[in-house]
Amino acid sequence: MTEPHSSPKPFDHLFVSQLNELFRWRRDVRRFQTRPIDESLLTELIYSCLNAPSVGNSQPWRFVVVKDQRARHAVCKNFEKSNDLAALANADDSKEHYKKLKLAGLKEAPVHLAVYCDKNPVEGKGLGRQSMPETLEYSVVLAIGQLWYSALAHGIGLGWVSILDPDEINATLDTPDNWRLIAYLCMGYPEEQHSDPELVRENWQGPTDYDTKLFYR
Ligand SMILES: Cc1cc2nc3c(=O)[nH]c(=O)nc-3n(C[C@H](O)[C@H](O)[C@H](O)COP(=O)(O)O)c2cc1C
């Protein structure tokens, strides 16, 4: 058992302003250098999000580092197929624009990381998730957020790829039936740094109107 602290660890102004900078510069990265990530750093980053909040302390996250070249290749093909299908779903006037967007860096990224949710974890004994079972998946997403920021603190970018057929990913990675795919992530050192989203820079959408996101009642 750890000793309780009488006061929270002080976080000074410098830390707070640096934390805000970290938030400002977090991007979904699709353009990676091929330079590898040190194995021990990758493990450290994954371990750094194992203390994320989770419903009933269920810790339902399961991380799969995809090292096998055939599996990586299958995931790239999966993306290409899913992306071609997704392109068709766009209105006629945005189809060509969609096809020009770079929506994954799967080929270049040195690390592929699949993140799963164990749908029935032993930890927590079901506490907190009886009426809202989806909170297990929310918990995994929180861990991914934590990973995203801690990676950036080490200069490493993360790109979330959801344009994939999840059943095919499960088959490629031979994962247990009671795991649900939450995210397929690319990780690596970014080729470039930006403080605005690529979809805004590419004119897919305009800048965020912050007034439309906050409400009071
Ligand atoms: C659940 C989730 C799935 C995403 N899937 C994709 C994807 O398949 N391809 C892609 O290019 N970006 C994907 N993104 C990244 C978003 O497009 C990106 O976060 C958004 O455009 C804002 O850009 P920013 O993260 O750089 O601020 C995903 C993000 C989230 C949270």
Side-chain angles (χ1 to χ4, degrees):
M1 204 201 295
T2 54
E3 290 299 312
H5 285 272
S6 54
S7 63
K9 190 167 180 241
F11 297 104
D12 60 21
H13 290 303
L14 178 63
F15 175 81
V16 173
S17 80
Q18 288 178 332
L19 184 63
N20 281 325
E21 279 295 280
L22 187 73
F23 291 158
R24 198 162 77 85
W25 286 93
R26 184 218 47 82
R27 291 278 72 81
D28 184 84
V29 175
R30 301 116 195 219
R31 293 161 210 280
F32 295 96
Q33 301 173 29
T34 48
R35 171 183 160 201
I37 300 178
D38 184 75
E39 277 292 328
S40 60
L41 176 56
L42 179 63
T43 309
E44 183 188 323
L45 291 175
I46 295 172
Y47 273 63
S48 76
C49 65
L50 300 186
N51 69 348
S54 63
V55 61
N57 200 21
S58 54
Q59 303 157 58
W61 35 75
R62 306 288 180 260
F63 296 90
V64 182
V65 182
V66 182
K67 289 173 168 275
D68 182 75
Q69 288 305 319
R70 273 172 310 180
R72 277 182 63 117
H73 183 70
V75 174
C76 292
K77 290 280 162 215
N78 182 333
F79 168 76
E80 283 164 21
K81 204 167 67 181
S82 306
N83 201 33
D84 287 348
L85 280 175
L88 297 175
N90 286 286
D92 284 343
D93 57 352
S94 52
K95 272 197 179 77
E96 288 311 308
H97 191 173
Y98 180 89
K99 285 186 197 160
K100 286 189 188 126
L101 297 172
K102 179 162 172 59
L103 297 174
L106 287 160
K107 287 193 179 137
E108 318 82 271
V111 171
H112 282 198
L113 182 66
V115 189
Y116 280 85
C117 178
D118 184 334
K119 291 190 271 189
N120 202 7
V122 178
E123 285 101 335
K125 295 185 273 186
L127 189 149
R129 61 176 196 265
Q130 298 309 313
S131 46
M132 292 180 67
E134 63 274 24
T135 49
L136 271 181
E137 291 168 14
Y138 299 164
S139 306
V140 178
V141 174
L142 284 166
I144 294 167
Q146 203 160 308
L147 175 67
W148 211 323
Y149 290 108
S150 50
L152 179 57
H154 287 268
I156 292 170
L158 183 151
W160 188 323
V161 188
S162 56
I163 308 167
L164 292 167
D165 177 331
D167 294 336
E168 263 188 44
I169 297 285
N170 300 344
T172 300
L173 303 182
D174 191 24
T175 49
D177 289 345
N178 63 326
W179 288 13
R180 178 168 186 197
L181 181 69
I182 303 298
Y184 198 91
L185 307 175
C186 293
M187 292 178 74
Y189 293 92
E191 271 194 344
E192 25 183 79
Q193 311 280 353
H194 293 276
S195 62
D196 55 350
E198 181 153 340
L199 293 182
V200 174
R201 287 198 308 283
E202 294 292 334
N203 286 320
W204 180 257
Q205 58 184 182
T208 299
D209 176 359
Y210 289 93
D211 290 345
T212 62
K213 311 295 180 202
L214 175 63
F215 302 89
Y216 299 95
R217 292 284 186 275

